[in-house]
Amino acid sequence: MREIVLDTETTGLDPLRGDRLVEVGCVEIFNRMPTGQSFHRYINPEREMSAEAFAVHGLSTEFLTGQPLFAEIVEEFLEFIGDAPLVIHNASFDIGFINAELDRLKRQPIPRERLVDTLLLARRKHPGVSNRLDDLCSRYAIDNSRRTKHGALLDAELLAEVYVDLVGARQSELILAADVQEIWIGVSGDVPRRQRTVPLLPRVTDADRDAHRAFIATLGDKAIWNEFFPPIAAVVIEAQTGT
């Protein structure tokens, strides 16, 4: 299943008061594994950056002035996310800004049914503790040392790793990896299967076979399968003599 892990940065906290989107980062995952495909754009918000927001992500008004408007990247953005579920940490915040930008362009909003909110997942799995992205990275031993400031693409990459642990997919992979055949890189044709070092002991003993033959003998020559197969005595003789 294709999913998109998404994060944004903004000029503030409330799109209804004029705050705008300034960065969007997306990472594609398929069956809970990153594919290497991503989407990342800085966006000109057409307004000044607040000091509080600048302290969070470090994106200045001067830098963003030279970036494209949301209207210039919207088609590329919508094409990348397609109709896939969107995995977002505190999804109501990010989707509120994205839908506000879409509304300015008279475009259809992204329905909330598509959202997978990892903050809600984390609160259910780890109640009563902080579940910020940094906290989850520490909890799952994910290296977030590059995260000196918030950044949409980096945060989406970290969230993709966190998401795998939140839904238990990494444990499933480890369990399956113990049972599947080894992957041989650069080898064409069939990959050899793992062989048991000690064969399993047979579950049917010689006594079981003798008891079965004795039971069959009591059924006589008129048993129904004798109309389709040679009599059991002939089968036994063939097996014993090899004829």
Side-chain angles (χ1 to χ4, degrees), residues 88-102:
I88 308 173
H89 202 63
N90 192 15
S92 61
F93 178 86
D94 299 81
I95 207 65
F97 275 91
I98 291 173
N99 281 343
E101 297 289 349
L102 291 172

Side-chain angles (χ1 to χ4, degrees), residues 22-26 38-43 67-68 73 76 152:
V22 298
E23 184 184 9
V24 59
C26 303
S38 63
F39 176 89
H40 178 231
R41 295 290 182 274
Y42 294 109
I43 300 163
Q67 303 303 321
I73 62 100
E76 190 180 4

Side-chain angles (χ1 to χ4, degrees), residues 202-213:
R203 294 187 179 184
V204 179
T205 66
D206 289 337
D208 292 330
R209 294 188 183 93
D210 291 339
H212 180 67
R213 293 190 186 103

